[in-house]
Amino acid sequence: MRECILSILRQQWPRLLGLAAVIAASIAVSIAPPLVLQRAVDGLAAGNIAPDALLLLGVLYFALCTVSGLIDTGRETLITVLGQKITHGVRSAMCRRLGRLPASYFVTQEPGQVTSLFVNDVDTLENLFDSGIVSMFADAFTIVSILAVVSHLSPGLGVLLLLCLPLLFLLTRYFQRRMLQAQLDNRRAIAKTNALIPETVANICTIHLCQQEGYMHTRYLRAIRQSFAAMERSNFCDSIYSPIILTSGTAIICLMMALSVTSGTLQEWFGMTVGSVVALIAYVRRIFTPLEAIGMEIQSIQSAVAGIRRLQDFFALPLMPEVPKKCADEKAAASSKLPPLVIEDLAFGYGEDPDLFSHLSLTIREGEHVTLTGRTGIGKSTLFKLVLGLYAPRAGSIRIAGLAPAEIAERDRRRLIGCVWQEFCPVRGGIREQVTLGDPGISDEEVRQALALTGLLSLCQSLPQGLATPLKDAGFSQGQLQLLGIARAIVKHPRLLLLDEITASLDAATEKQVLAALKRACRDRAVLSISHRLYETTGGRLLELRRP
């Protein structure tokens, strides 16, 4: 993860330099107004300042305050842009890694864990730069600059501040540790809540049928209460930190005033002119303002640290070896002489679990149809995912036109493999986008041919906007959506077609229509399916999967 962030920062070096320059300008401008105010007050007290000079000092004071506000606005803008660039880069790197994680990672993770990483934990990185480490860096330099000016104007007050700052630093570290633990507990509770949401949605019918709403409510309530309890601890620390800082500032000013009037030596040591008193009070308030802000920034930093620890664990996960992509046209494997699918001595299992199947061998040639059978959970859909390259086998090999699934270049994938799942997954856009999935290499003629083969062409052409009609406005039934899924799978004329229980949720009339379309689509193609009805319609071979 460190290399990822350093790479992003190297790309953003112009913004980093600009941010450093703006922070330096902000500090320089912020310490100037009290000095101008001192000059004006001392002149008025001595009665030796001209009206024009006093007016000029007043205009300069307000101009510096205005410029300080503008610079602070520019600083916050640059911090926000930089934070967004970093989070965008981190999410992109995470997406690249996600595709190379082994199947065991997805098996062991609860639903919602990955979503929480990409959304909640990465968002804390932006907070880290928006209102965390960069702001704290600027506040720390502001404190050092003000301390230097105060020591020059009043050595005594400088000593008082130097004595107080270590104590305040120790206090800050104490609250930092307390907030860190609270933020870690809150992250865990949020992850549990995110895991419960998809679980509830997926099992909502069973929950209602078994009348277990109370059980799910208790689980939600427990996770939410854990999150609230952690946030309460964090908020309590933050709520008492700021008053302590403000009270300390007031106490230091009172102590300075009391010591300065005890003797002439102390008065001289504290530099007690009328103007210096006004300037020093302003500086003391200014030096405690960034300290108070640090109390707010600690919460953002600790929240980010808690998220970063989870992200570091994600980036530390071992990846599957990256397989170089190969173009099918560059190998003899693309020749029609090689079978579309060859499985040899295949074995696979999830995580540390035993093999779902082992020593599995299968060859499917053009025009052949093989239907998988076996009890639920035996690994039929898993075999599909292995063929698609979503999982890597423990042993053995899979070859699609002579290529391992992971070796197939993106431009060749749809030309070699087509897959239809039990549920149609729509994408944003019209009918054309549902079939092409945004592939510019697929022509409208190819889309029309695929729709004609499934029997949807006349219906799609009769829609108000034709192929450009948004899917939500087409009013397709469940069976028509499944036909649209078949058109999506065959539009690039793949050599191998995978069909996963695509008629399971259809009524008898719709099933008959889908089976007729499939019979046309499966002609002269190698087909691997999970569907007894399709087997009864198109024939072929049965392959029963069994436990080793």
Side-chain angles (χ1 to χ4, degrees):
M1 180 178 176
R2 179 184 301 175
E3 290 76 11
C4 173
I5 294 180
L6 289 177
S7 175
I8 297 169
L9 292 178
R10 283 193 291 267
Q11 296 174 3
Q12 300 297 322
W13 67 266
R15 289 188 175 90
L16 287 173
L17 291 178
L19 180 59
V22 170
I23 290 176
S26 175
I27 294 173
V29 174
S30 66
I31 63 175
L35 295 176
V36 176
L37 190 61
Q38 178 194 11
R39 181 71 179 273
V41 173
D42 282 340
L44 287 173
N48 58 1
I49 186 171
D52 292 342
L54 182 62
L55 178 61
L56 180 61
L57 290 174
V59 172
L60 180 60
Y61 178 83
F62 286 107
L64 288 172
C65 292
T66 302
V67 172
S68 177
L70 293 175
I71 293 177
D72 288 342
T73 301
R75 182 188 69 179
E76 293 303 319
T77 300
L78 284 175
I79 290 174
T80 300
V81 171
L82 182 61
Q84 291 175 346
K85 293 291 183 181
I86 291 174
T87 53
H88 177 269
V90 170
R91 282 195 176 101
S92 299
M94 291 176 66
C95 287
R96 290 191 293 269
R97 290 181 63 86
L98 196 64
R100 295 182 55 198
L101 290 175
S104 58
Y105 172 77
F106 300 96
V107 174
T108 56
Q109 293 296 310
E110 295 182 3
Q113 290 280 8
V114 177
T115 302
S116 179
L117 278 172
F118 274 77
V119 179
N120 297 324
D121 293 320
V122 178
D123 280 344
T124 59
L125 280 177
E126 186 172 351
N127 294 334
L128 176 68
F129 287 89
D130 285 355
S131 56
I133 190 170
V134 177
S135 297
M136 183 173 285
F137 175 82
D139 290 332
F141 271 87
T142 301
I143 291 173
V144 172
S145 302
I146 292 176
L147 188 60
V149 176
V150 168
S151 299
H152 174 73
L153 294 176
S154 175
L157 182 57
V159 171
L160 285 178
L161 291 177
L162 285 175
L163 292 175
C164 292
L165 286 178
L167 298 176
L168 292 173
F169 174 76
L170 294 176
L171 178 68
T172 301
R173 289 295 299 166
Y174 171 77
F175 284 106
Q176 184 179 18
R177 288 190 291 269
R178 294 291 301 272
M179 289 182 182
L180 173 59
Q181 186 58 48
Q183 289 293 339
L184 287 172
D185 293 342
N186 182 48
R187 287 287 156 198
R188 296 188 189 100
I190 290 175
K192 290 181 181 178
T193 306
N194 287 339
L196 286 170
I197 293 173
E199 178 184 341
T200 303
V201 172
N203 299 284
I204 190 68
C205 294
T206 304
I207 292 171
H208 285 309
L209 181 63
C210 298
Q211 298 181 347
Q212 290 301 310
E213 292 87 349
Y215 169 71
M216 297 304 299
H217 177 266
T218 301
R219 294 181 64 190
Y220 275 112
L221 193 60
R222 185 184 303 117
I224 292 173
R225 281 178 175 173
Q226 290 174 354
S227 176
F228 283 166
M231 288 305 299
E232 283 296 322
R233 296 202 309 270
S234 178
N235 291 336
F236 173 76
C237 293
D238 181 59
S239 64
I240 65 175
Y241 178 83
S242 297
I244 290 175
I245 295 297
L246 292 174
T247 304
S248 300
T250 304
I252 289 175
I253 293 174
C254 293
L255 182 60
M256 178 192 73
M257 299 294 292
L259 293 175
S260 65
V261 298
T262 56
S263 67
T265 302
L266 288 177
Q267 181 178 3
E268 180 180 354
W269 194 47
F270 277 94
M272 294 299 294
T273 66
V274 177
S276 65
V277 169
V278 174
L280 290 173
I281 290 175
Y283 278 127
V284 169
R285 289 179 177 175
R286 284 174 181 259
I287 202 172
F288 280 98
T289 297
L291 278 178
E292 181 185 1
I294 288 175
M296 301 294 294
E297 292 156 358
I298 286 175
Q299 186 171 357
S300 297
I301 291 176
Q302 296 312 308
S303 176
V305 169
I308 286 173
R309 288 186 178 180
R310 287 163 52 84
L311 292 175
Q312 286 175 333
D313 293 339
F314 176 83
F315 276 90
L317 292 170
L319 301 178
M320 294 188 299
E322 191 169 7
V323 180
K325 304 297 183 182
K326 301 177 182 179
C327 180
D329 292 335
E330 296 174 357
K331 295 186 64 180
S335 170
S336 59
K337 297 180 181 179
L338 292 175
L341 177 63
V342 177
I343 300 176
E344 294 182 344
D345 205 27
L346 183 69
F348 178 79
Y350 289 101
E352 301 297 329
D353 294 343
D355 288 342
L356 282 174
F357 38 76
S358 62
H359 304 294
L360 175 64
S361 297
L362 172 67
T363 298
I364 306 180
R365 303 183 182 278
E366 268 84 5
E368 289 186 323
H369 185 172
V370 175
T371 300
L372 298 176
T373 65
R375 63 179 178 81
T376 301
I378 199 65
K380 299 187 293 294
S381 296
T382 299
L383 182 58
F384 275 29
K385 294 172 183 178
L386 285 162
V387 173
L388 290 169
L390 301 179
Y391 297 155
R394 282 181 177 175
S397 65
I398 299 175
R399 290 291 182 268
I400 299 172
L403 293 172
E407 294 178 341
I408 301 175
E410 295 299 327
R411 62 178 179 179
D412 293 321
R413 183 165 292 275
R414 294 185 72 182
R415 186 164 60 84
L416 294 177
I417 314 173
C419 185
V420 186
W421 299 102
Q422 186 172 344
E423 297 290 338
F424 177 76
C425 298
V427 298
R428 180 178 299 179
I431 305 300
R432 180 186 296 103
E433 285 71 30
Q434 306 306 318
V435 177
T436 65
L437 296 177
D439 187 348
I442 299 177
S443 65
D444 284 351
E445 180 59 30
E446 289 177 312
V447 173
R448 284 191 286 269
Q449 289 177 2
L451 291 174
L453 198 59
T454 59
L456 286 178
L457 180 60
S458 59
L459 173 62
C460 294
Q461 289 178 334
S462 67
L463 294 173
Q465 302 177 50
L467 296 180
T469 303
L471 180 64
K472 62 180 181 179
D473 298 334
F476 281 177
S477 65
Q478 183 64 36
Q480 290 168 334
L481 289 175
Q482 202 63 286
L483 291 173
L484 194 60
I486 297 172
R488 174 190 291 176
I490 65 175
V491 67
K492 291 288 285 185
H493 310 288
R495 298 186 61 192
L496 174 64
L497 192 60
L498 306 177
L499 308 173
D500 186 9
E501 292 282 10
I502 63 173
T503 61
S505 59
L506 304 179
D507 57 61
T510 306
E511 182 186 50
K512 184 177 180 180
Q513 181 183 5
V514 171
L515 289 175
L518 278 174
K519 190 173 182 179
R520 296 190 297 270
C522 294
R523 188 177 303 149
D524 299 328
R525 285 193 178 91
V527 180
L528 182 62
S529 71
I530 307 173
S531 174
H532 279 282
R533 292 289 292 118
L534 187 59
Y535 169 73
E536 295 170 2
T537 302
T538 60
R541 291 186 287 154
L542 287 175
L543 175 64
E544 183 178 4
L545 296 181
R546 297 179 179 179
R547 290 286 187 184

